[in-house]
Amino acid sequence: MQLSSLCVYCGSSTGSDPFFMEAGDEFGRRMAKADVELVYGGGGIGVMGAVARAVLAEGGRVTGIIPKFLTEVEVEFKEVSELIVTDSMHARKQLMFERSQAFVALPGGIGTVEETIEMLTWAQLGRHSNPIIIANLKGFWDPMIELLDHIIKAGFARSEIRRIYSVVDKIEDIIPRIEASL
């Protein structure tokens, strides 16, 4: 199966290290060159804005999905190929899920953590078997990976949950890892 759409969870902030914005830009360019549509939260700022702008700059397709109440907070990015405004966060996340073949967590905040954990939960419950990639750039996700391991060691999850996600350390490894698991 050919990868055609990818949901990217990432920060609506720039973070304190410029590397993360550069990584967002690089990943967006790689997505467009691989002819992979970006499905994301619809904002035009932070890492999410960098990814979307880079996809568009390389001639790629971007679908932004944003709840109405966030259109001012996250500064909706109207230049996307398709902008969908939903009534709620739940509707936003459901549409992002339905339109994506895989999920990638780039560095971000609490929303990024929540969306990533939700996809892990849905996979654990058998709601999907789509690839989930944790892009552990500069060790950003080390604490979350340690938490998942802690949950397993404490007996609240089986070690098999490690099979529902992959961890990569470099932007260039994300798309090949997804394609290998489709």
Side-chain angles (χ1 to χ4, degrees), residues 10-13 106-116 140-141:
C10 56
S12 60
S13 297
L106 294 178
I110 293 170
T112 304
V113 171
E114 186 270 333
E115 291 169 323
T116 304
F140 181 85
W141 291 114

Side-chain angles (χ1 to χ4, degrees), residues 107-126:
I110 293 170
T112 304
V113 171
E114 186 270 333
E115 291 169 323
T116 304
I117 292 294
E118 184 170 50
M119 285 305 103
L120 291 170
T121 302
W122 289 10
Q124 180 184 4
L125 296 173

Side-chain angles (χ1 to χ4, degrees), residues 15-137:
S16 58
D17 186 338
F19 171 80
F20 298 127
M21 287 290 286
E22 294 164 12
D25 181 78
E26 180 185 347
F27 186 55
R29 291 180 188 284
R30 287 177 180 274
M31 285 182 65
K33 288 176 182 170
D35 198 26
V36 176
E37 175 185 355
L38 169 64
V39 177
Y40 85 119
I45 57 177
V47 176
M48 70 164 52
V51 176
R53 281 185 176 78
V55 171
L56 292 170
E58 293 293 331
R61 181 167 168 73
V62 175
T63 297
I65 305 174
I66 190 166
K68 184 164 182 44
F69 78 92
L70 280 182
T71 57
E72 293 176 14
V73 177
E74 290 190 354
V75 188
E76 67 185 299
F77 188 43
K78 294 181 174 145
E79 289 78 18
V80 297
S81 312
E82 181 180 10
L83 181 65
I84 300 169
V85 179
T86 63
D87 291 332
S88 68
M89 285 293 285
H90 294 293
R92 171 203 214 182
K93 293 189 294 183
Q94 183 65 38
L95 270 176
M96 291 169 76
F97 168 75
E98 291 171 1
R99 290 175 167 245
S100 304
Q101 292 176 288
F103 307 93
V104 172
L106 294 178
I110 293 170
T112 304
V113 171
E114 186 270 333
E115 291 169 323
T116 304
I117 292 294
E118 184 170 50
M119 285 305 103
L120 291 170
T121 302
W122 289 10
Q124 180 184 4
L125 296 173
R127 298 263 339 259
H128 76 89
S129 58
N130 299 346
I132 301 168
I133 306 296
I134 298 171
N136 194 27
L137 310 176

